[in-house]
Amino acid sequence: MIRLLNILFLFVCLTAFAQTTENKQLKLATDLLFSNPEKSAKISEKAFAEARNYNDKIKALSKLVNAQMVLGDISQVINNSGLGIRLSKEKNDTINQIRFLSMLGNQYQQLNMNTDAKKNLDDAENLINTVHLPQSLLFITGNVYNVKGIVFKNELNCEFAVKYFNKALEVYNKLPYEKVVVTNKLLIDIQKAVCLEALGNSKEAESIYRSILNGDTRGIGYNKYYASLGLADIYLKRKEYDAAYKILESVNINEFNHYDAELTSLFYKLKAQSSYWRNDSKSYLYYFEKYNQNNREILQSQNQTISRLENIYDKNFSEKSNSMWMRNLGILSIFLIIFIFVVVFSHHKLKKDGII
């Protein structure tokens, strides 16, 4: 689901900038975004370095962040989203502040850094309440509410999570019936169902899962697997083991195990539970080990990203410290020159006046 959330936030950026005039470089960067994101990132980085005004800089930076999101380079997305926030603050550009804050909150949420995620999402929500967003930018609001709901869900505060999921759905219901809108609504429905189950409303959660599986398949994507596994989880908790087993057997893990680590972990976990209750010790040990191995890989990936992010912070801090040191040295040199000038001038004057 992490990669899917990245792509959905990417659609926000593309939609937000769709109506602006792009130069040839940035148009090429957009065209290459999915087919060659590495090249798209290089073009955008070059365009950012060569930009001579704020509008060109912020457009190029947005394209760069888009490419880095497709590449899954969370540390660089965080670094450049922070840069986008600083640049847009300097120009009192509220819309772009909201965009970059929402993307930054999304990335922190994916790293389970919920405090940082909530801070940026709160800032985005506060700004949203100060401006009137046009229809084309409502998507941003829906995503802010959605990710805030996920943060509360991860903190096991499902009551608040459901409130934010409902706020997000209210926004998406105002948007045109397009594939990306449908996909996002289904994502929210699934997260909401998980929380409803945690709150003891398993019947309502089951109803949501069934509605997803029996509804319009346009835009459903991997949501069908989340809905299927959600149902299997409910059945296992109800001790309806045969029903859970039947659903799990219908899920083809090869269709998502290289794409969605979170979904893969959930599958292995439920398969292990199902095997345990069916007294199949061999399958239980196999899936339990796969579940642990997959979780270790997720944790390792998150730790590597956090480590890269810390290196970026350390580098920025070092550069800032060096810059401050050079500035202070420059100021000291100026004062020293002035001091020497005053001493020489005073000495010359005193000598001329015959005092010394």
Side-chain angles (χ1 to χ4, degrees):
M1 184 171 286
I2 285 176
R3 184 171 173 80
L4 182 56
L5 282 171
N6 266 344
I7 298 302
L8 292 179
F9 261 85
L10 177 63
F11 274 110
V12 173
C13 295
L14 293 178
T15 302
F17 283 100
Q19 297 177 353
T20 61
T21 303
E22 292 182 345
N23 60 35
K24 289 182 180 180
Q25 276 185 306
L26 293 183
K27 188 177 184 307
L28 179 59
T30 302
D31 293 340
L32 292 172
L33 192 57
F34 294 105
S35 61
N36 194 341
E38 292 90 351
K39 188 171 182 180
S40 178
K42 287 180 181 178
I43 292 171
S44 301
E45 193 168 17
K46 185 173 182 289
F48 178 76
E50 295 175 350
R52 293 293 173 263
N53 59 65
Y54 169 73
N55 286 336
D56 289 343
K57 273 188 175 295
I58 210 72
K59 288 176 191 175
L61 186 61
S62 175
K63 300 296 181 184
L64 177 58
V65 172
N66 287 344
Q68 289 165 343
M69 289 176 83
V70 174
L71 291 168
D73 193 346
I74 294 179
S75 57
Q76 285 300 327
V77 173
I78 288 176
N79 188 50
N80 286 319
S81 292
L83 176 58
I85 292 167
R86 292 193 296 275
L87 291 176
S88 54
K89 269 186 178 180
E90 290 172 3
K91 295 294 182 179
N92 293 318
D93 181 356
T94 304
I95 300 299
N96 273 306
Q97 283 184 62
I98 295 170
R99 285 185 186 130
F100 285 108
L101 282 166
S102 64
M103 287 189 285
L104 191 55
N106 170 256
Q107 300 300 298
Y108 280 131
Q109 183 276 318
Q110 291 177 25
L111 292 172
N112 291 321
M113 297 170 68
N114 289 328
T115 300
D116 294 294
K118 196 182 293 183
K119 178 186 179 301
N120 286 282
L121 293 167
D122 284 345
D123 289 344
E125 186 177 7
N126 290 336
L127 288 173
I128 285 170
N129 293 331
T130 67
V131 294
H132 175 72
L133 290 176
Q135 180 80 4
S136 61
L137 296 180
L138 282 180
F139 219 127
I140 299 174
T141 305
N143 270 300
V144 169
Y145 293 153
N146 180 14
V147 181
K148 279 197 77 169
I150 295 172
V151 170
F152 281 119
K153 169 181 162 284
N154 291 345
E155 292 180 342
L156 305 180
N157 190 345
C158 271
E159 195 169 340
F160 268 98
V162 169
K163 288 180 181 179
Y164 271 98
F165 290 141
N166 286 335
K167 288 176 73 171
L169 288 169
E170 186 179 339
V171 172
Y172 290 125
N173 287 332
K174 298 176 183 177
L175 298 173
Y177 188 76
E178 297 176 356
K179 184 176 178 180
V180 66
V181 176
V182 173
T183 303
N184 233 13
K185 287 174 67 175
L186 291 172
L187 268 172
I188 297 167
D189 278 334
I190 287 167
Q191 299 287 341
K192 179 181 173 182
V194 171
C195 269
L196 287 170
E197 187 182 348
L199 291 170
N201 298 332
S202 64
K203 287 187 177 180
E204 190 175 348
E206 180 182 2
S207 176
I208 290 174
Y209 290 138
R210 289 195 174 280
S211 176
I212 291 170
L213 293 172
N214 297 331
D216 187 353
T217 58
R218 192 168 75 109
I220 190 170
Y222 292 117
N223 290 310
K224 63 184 176 183
Y225 298 121
Y226 273 101
S228 295
L229 295 181
L231 275 178
D233 186 35
I234 288 174
Y235 291 147
L236 283 172
K237 288 172 181 174
R238 290 181 185 169
K239 299 184 179 180
E240 298 177 18
Y241 303 130
D242 290 339
Y245 176 79
K246 185 177 179 181
I247 290 175
L248 291 171
E249 285 296 294
S250 70
V251 175
N252 183 4
I253 188 176
N254 294 324
E255 293 186 12
F256 58 81
N257 64 330
H258 295 300
Y259 185 87
D260 195 322
E262 183 183 341
L263 184 60
T264 302
S265 275
L266 179 59
F267 174 80
Y268 287 143
K269 175 185 173 183
L270 295 176
K271 285 288 285 185
Q273 290 177 354
S274 176
S275 299
Y276 175 82
W277 290 115
R278 292 174 63 82
N279 295 317
D280 186 347
S281 58
K282 185 177 179 181
S283 291
Y284 167 75
L285 291 173
Y286 172 78
Y287 285 113
F288 186 71
E289 174 56 30
K290 295 288 283 185
Y291 170 70
N292 285 330
Q293 179 184 345
N294 198 70
N295 279 350
R296 285 195 296 268
E297 290 173 359
I298 292 173
L299 185 61
Q300 182 181 12
S301 177
Q302 288 181 341
N303 288 338
Q304 287 173 350
T305 300
I306 292 172
S307 178
R308 286 198 299 272
L309 188 60
E310 288 173 345
N311 289 336
I312 291 172
Y313 284 155
D314 289 343
K315 181 181 177 183
N316 289 344
F317 178 78
S318 177
E319 289 175 352
K320 187 176 180 181
S321 297
N322 289 337
S323 175
M324 289 180 67
W325 186 84
M326 291 298 293
R327 187 188 68 176
N328 291 338
L329 181 61
I331 293 172
L332 182 62
S333 299
I334 292 170
F335 276 115
L336 185 59
I337 291 169
I338 293 172
F339 175 74
I340 293 172
F341 175 79
V342 170
V343 170
V344 170
F345 177 80
S346 299
H347 180 269
H348 179 73
K349 190 173 189 315
L350 291 171
K351 188 175 182 181
K352 184 179 179 182
D353 293 342
I355 298 174
I356 58 173

